Amino acid sequence: MTPMARCWLVVMAAGLGGCVYSPPAPFIIVGNEKVVSINWENSTLGSDGALQAAEKHCTRYGLKAELAVQASRFEAAYRCV
């Protein structure tokens, strides 16, 4: 195998390695101690991940998350109760 072919083989292998794992995009989280809005449009975790993110947010205040309203297909608001 020529050195140039070997180089291209390494480049192609490195490029394919990036396709193996794609980490989930972050949620957009806006809130305070009473309510939190989670947008998961660009996340691969979906609404279940959004609930977990809301729980994590409300836990900062010693509270639990409760669904208040599904604002759109990719956004929900949760009350911290």
Side-chain angles (χ1 to χ4, degrees):
M1 185 180 293
T2 68
M4 183 60 115
R6 200 172 304 133
C7 180
W8 277 110
L9 184 62
V10 170
V11 168
M12 293 300 290
L16 289 176
C19 298
V20 174
Y21 174 71
S22 177
F27 295 105
I28 298 173
I29 302 171
V30 178
N32 55 29
E33 69 277 357
K34 295 180 182 179
V35 67
V36 60
S37 173
I38 311 286
N39 182 305
W40 65 88
E41 185 171 6
N42 296 318
S43 176
T44 58
L45 297 176
S47 60
D48 291 335
L51 175 59
Q52 291 174 358
E55 285 286 347
K56 185 176 179 181
H57 174 83
C58 291
T59 302
R60 293 181 197 169
Y61 305 102
L63 303 169
K64 296 191 65 75
E66 176 183 274
L67 180 64
V69 64
Q70 181 81 32
S72 68
R73 184 173 172 200
F74 298 110
E75 186 172 359
Y78 297 87
R79 284 186 296 272
C80 294
V81 293

